[in-house]
Amino acid sequence: MKKIIACLFVFLIFSCSTNDDSTQDVYYEILPIESAVLPEEFHLGDVYEITLTYIKPSTCHAFNNIYFEQELNERTLAVVAYVTSGNGNCQPTEIEAEASFDFKAENAGPYIFKFWQGGDNYLVVVVPVVD
């Protein structure tokens, strides 16, 4: 039994690579939103799925989360991607991708969604809340 444990221990030590050739840097990048799918109106207290469409600029970009800033009934959104680099295998793409999130209408009055489209450009959508 001791020989098996010793062999496994030696195997584990030698199977771990200290080779730095596969080192990849990871950083985050905010991507613009191409379009968004929202309902025409919200009912107070109900939950709705909102779908965002964005473009992945390379094969090294992957969805991380949604940037979400709120002030009263105004919401500003963008897609946050993580980007792996350092492996030299990134290829430019124009792949359309989707991300979605659930939104609960908790306040009366219209909600103003500002979807960042790059620079100072926003797609602004106003959704009224009904009882």
Side-chain angles (χ1 to χ4, degrees), residues 14-100:
F14 287 106
S15 66
C16 296
S17 174
T18 58
N19 186 350
D20 251 0
D21 292 343
S22 64
T23 301
Q24 295 183 358
D25 294 325
V26 176
Y27 62 94
Y28 297 92
E29 187 174 311
I30 296 176
L31 301 178
I33 295 171
E34 298 292 313
S35 63
V37 177
L38 294 94
E40 290 187 22
E41 62 185 21
F42 292 136
H43 291 274
L44 196 59
D46 287 353
V47 176
Y48 298 88
E49 182 178 43
I50 297 176
T51 302
L52 311 175
T53 302
Y54 65 98
I55 303 296
K56 287 177 48 174
S58 81
T59 56
C60 291
H61 285 74
F63 177 79
N64 184 60
N65 63 26
I66 297 171
Y67 170 83
F68 188 86
E69 182 181 303
Q70 91 180 46
E71 184 177 323
L72 300 174
N73 278 15
E74 184 175 294
R75 306 293 188 267
T76 303
L77 298 101
V79 170
V80 179
Y82 67 88
V83 184
T84 55
S85 64
N87 62 6
N89 295 330
C90 296
Q91 300 297 317
T93 66
E94 290 294 318
I95 297 173
E96 193 173 271
E98 289 184 346
S100 62

